[in-house]
Amino acid sequence: MASFKRLSLILVTTCAGAALSACDGANDIASPGSGGNVIINNPPAPTPTPTPTPTLSLVTPAAGCPSVPAGANGFVDAGVTQATPIGSWRVCQLPAMVNRSITLTKIPGLIYSMNGRVDVGCDGGIVAPTAAAPRTSSTVSCTAANGITLTGGQLTADTNVTLTIEPGVIVAGYTGTSWLAVNRGNKINAVGTASQPIIFTSKDNVLGLNNDSSFGQWGGVVLMGRARVTDCTTGSVAVLPALSTCERQTEGSADAATFGGNEDAYNAGTVKYVQIRYSGYVLGANTELQALTAEGVGTGTTLEYVQSHNSSDDGMEFFGGSVRFKHYIATGADDDSLDIDTGLQGLFQYVLLLQRPGQGDALMEVDNTGFEADTPRQNTKVVNFTAVQGQVSSNNEANDLASILLRGNADLTLADGLVISPNNECLRMNGTGATPATLVARSVALQCNTAKYLGAGSISAAQVAMTFGTGTNGNNDAFTNTLTALFVNGASETALAPFDAKTLDTFFDTTTYVGAVKDATDNWYKGWTCNSGYAPFDGTGSDRSCTSLPTN
């Protein structure tokens, strides 16, 4: 949930230089011989050819903005962003309403910008359980002026708009209130590659003004779907899934941005090989978005290889739905690295949660407090994870008081995981409602402070310890890590006996190790991520830094 801390952003510039050196020539060598000393003069070594100093290839602005299909709202040529550290960019502003399927083409020297909320299609609403009646759209810009056909002010069918984003494309929020809203009945197809990730970021990042403490400079990416949720704004939950009419509103949105329904297989599209940087601007009173907010998305949605970097709220938050996610990285979240609630049925594998030293709240916040009678009851499984908090510096915790908080109508399964939090309590359970939250742990190692556990409500700290069960099921709460490069398994991690996560669900892979990264040969996190001072993934090149942008 929302964090109430705010930090000032520090503007920094950097410079780099290179020096060349040459070797001395060979020395003469004297050898003794039978007739006296014989002097052997070696020929002088050739003078080495100086290696040219590398020249940074600066960005040259594209000639113009791409065209769009007939009937589609086009891009606005916002001119050229001047004097960035890596050159100049042509800025093409997205329309407020993407009313037809379009593609953000990768063009050298071009950045796409958002100057406020950008809607992908109209909200198709929820199909009534008993009849496919027309749906009232909650999208403000769904009007005839945007080429949207309405009958009596209502949609008669989904707009079925797909926003396709090519590998290597950069999309920047040019105002704090910029965010991408993928409405129900529409899709995103943001598929980068390991060498050409898609980057969502801020204007300050484009201008080269950010550092490791920067965050909260634009909204984020929001996927809205029709899978089941709880904590209804309108409608109600139902025992029979097909009869659910429960809907909710996106936190912080000034205008309606609705999600929820009764389609657990809902497909909001694909997000793969994507970075989302410096998100989480405050959109409303004490409410922010985060890098990625998935709301009522279903099993048809593909989420893989996504990095959240320096989000001012959570790294990512999942409101209900049936999420399937492999290869999730959160670096520098200012609140929780992974926040899950409102009835989520979630499966996560290969998860790296790495907080900034001295910042952030919980590594995981798992709850549905106050709605303990609602169905579906939250049930989430997180496997092959490495979660690091406060390893180098002070205690990062805030309101949640422990590295993992579990409470309120939520069931959590953790398997093949590492919680490295030597300055914090590792696990807090808060017993609320007639049926409090539950925890199942299999092959999980904890490195905590001396207290280790916290209880609240109907659950004591001793009961939390008993629930975790150190010494059983491969669990260990007295672990000392030997991680290298912050998160890569060392000897102690390799010695842990893994649990077969596939026995929990066929979505999971069977692995032979505990944690997210098996060893130094396991490179799934390399190439598509950006590096920071506290979490360098694969080098220090300026074009791979989170504070800069690729020039290619």
Side-chain angles (χ1 to χ4, degrees):
M1 295 298 182
S3 168
F4 306 113
K5 305 189 303 295
R6 293 292 175 269
L7 300 178
S8 300
L9 301 182
I10 304 171
L11 310 183
V12 297
T13 59
T14 60
C15 61
L20 301 174
S21 62
C23 299
D24 294 332
N27 296 322
D28 291 344
I29 302 174
S31 287
S34 59
N37 291 340
V38 178
I39 305 301
I40 302 173
N41 292 314
N42 290 335
T47 302
T49 302
T51 302
T53 301
T55 302
L56 180 65
S57 178
L58 295 179
V59 175
T60 301
C65 299
S67 59
V68 297
N73 292 331
F75 306 109
V76 175
D77 190 337
V80 175
T81 294
Q82 299 282 355
T84 78
I86 58 175
S88 300
W89 302 86
R90 172 74 58 187
V91 180
C92 297
Q93 181 182 322
L94 272 64
M97 161 61 72
V98 180
N99 64 336
R100 300 285 187 275
S101 294
I102 62 171
T103 297
L104 305 190
T105 306
K106 167 63 176 174
I107 299 174
L110 187 148
I111 280 178
Y112 297 92
S113 71
M114 298 183 290
N115 281 40
R117 172 175 168 176
V118 173
D119 283 293
V120 177
C122 294
D123 171 35
I126 181 173
V127 179
T130 56
R135 281 74 53 83
T136 300
S137 176
S138 65
T139 307
V140 174
S141 52
C142 282
T143 63
N146 275 312
I148 307 300
T149 301
L150 302 172
T151 301
Q154 294 180 316
L155 292 172
T156 57
D158 286 334
T159 47
N160 288 319
V161 170
T162 297
L163 176 64
T164 297
I165 306 177
E166 291 187 344
V169 162
I170 299 170
V171 182
Y174 263 48
T175 65
T177 55
S178 300
W179 59 291
L180 184 67
V182 183
N183 291 296
R184 291 179 294 185
N186 307 278
K187 292 183 176 68
I188 187 171
N189 184 36
V191 181
T193 65
S195 60
Q196 288 278 297
I198 294 164
I199 299 174
F200 289 92
T201 191
S202 67
K203 181 179 181 180
D204 279 3
N205 195 194
V206 174
L207 297 177
L209 301 176
N210 286 351
N211 60 28
D212 277 352
S213 298
S214 303
F215 62 91
Q217 297 173 341
W218 65 291
V221 177
V222 180
L223 309 182
M224 289 167 274
R226 292 193 182 112
R228 286 180 296 158
V229 300
T230 61
D231 306 22
C232 313
T233 304
T234 60
S236 60
V237 298
V239 175
L240 293 176
L243 299 180
S244 180
T245 58
C246 183
E247 297 178 287
R248 285 180 53 80
Q249 291 295 322
T250 299
E251 286 186 348
S253 176
D255 297 316
T258 310
F259 60 95
N262 45 48
E263 302 173 29
D264 288 345
Y266 182 85
N267 181 4
T270 300
V271 179
K272 185 173 182 178
Y273 289 118
V274 170
Q275 301 172 19
I276 308 177
R277 309 177 181 179
Y278 308 110
S279 59
Y281 187 85
V282 180
L283 296 181
N286 296 324
T287 54
E288 311 97 317
L289 297 176
Q290 37 277 312
L292 177 68
T293 307
E295 306 173 327
V297 303
T299 56
T301 305
T302 299
L303 300 173
E304 294 183 305
Y305 298 98
V306 186
Q307 178 188 10
S308 163
H309 178 70
N310 278 29
S311 172
S312 78
D313 194 30
D314 305 312
M316 295 186 189
E317 187 163 7
F318 299 85
F319 291 89
S322 296
V323 171
R324 305 291 181 263
F325 200 148
K326 286 182 177 176
H327 303 102
Y328 164 46
I329 295 177
T331 50
D334 205 50
D335 192 9
D336 308 314
S337 294
L338 175 61
D339 194 334
I340 50 184
D341 43 33
T342 66
L344 174 68
Q345 311 295 292
L347 303 177
F348 298 82
Q349 188 171 28
Y350 311 115
V351 176
L352 276 174
L353 307 179
L354 309 172
Q355 290 190 334
R356 281 179 291 151
Q359 302 297 323
D361 196 353
L363 290 161
M364 300 183 200
E365 182 180 285
V366 184
D367 74 334
N368 206 27
T369 300
F371 293 85
E372 283 80 6
D374 279 8
T375 56
R377 181 180 170 93
Q378 187 190 154
N379 191 333
T380 296
K381 300 174 175 66
V382 184
V383 308
N384 288 108
F385 65 91
T386 299
V388 180
Q389 179 183 59
Q391 183 175 13
V392 178
S393 62
S394 64
N395 185 342
N396 290 19
E397 70 190 16
N399 297 325
D400 290 344
L401 303 181
S403 294
I404 297 177
L405 171 63
L406 176 60
R407 64 184 176 190
N409 202 32
D411 301 324
L412 177 66
T413 298
L414 301 175
D416 295 331
L418 304 170
V419 179
I420 308 303
S421 186
N423 299 307
N424 305 337
E425 292 84 1
C426 281
L427 179 62
R428 175 187 173 199
M429 296 180 68
N430 188 343
T432 59
T435 307
T438 67
L439 172 69
V440 173
R442 297 290 184 268
S443 296
V444 176
L446 308 179
Q447 182 176 352
C448 325
N449 66 12
T450 55
K452 299 182 183 179
Y453 305 102
L454 287 173
S458 63
I459 301 179
S460 67
Q463 288 173 309
V464 176
M466 185 179 298
T467 299
F468 177 75
T470 190
T472 65
N473 297 310
N475 299 325
N476 179 0
D477 71 359
F479 185 70
T480 299
N481 86 88
T482 57
L483 295 170
T484 63
L486 187 61
F487 53 81
V488 177
N489 283 359
S492 295
E493 292 75 26
T494 300
L496 297 172
F499 173 80
D500 186 0
K502 190 173 281 293
T503 62
L504 299 174
D505 194 281
T506 57
F507 171 78
F508 295 127
D509 302 326
T510 296
T511 62
T512 59
Y513 56 94
V514 170
V517 180
K518 179 181 179 181
D519 53 32
T521 66
D522 187 0
N523 295 323
W524 68 261
Y525 58 88
K526 289 189 175 183
W528 59 274
T529 49
C530 68
N531 300 309
S532 61
Y534 58 87
F537 288 107
D538 57 351
T540 57
S542 61
D543 65 335
R544 299 297 313 284
S545 170
C546 297
T547 58
S548 186
L549 294 173
T551 59
N552 59 340

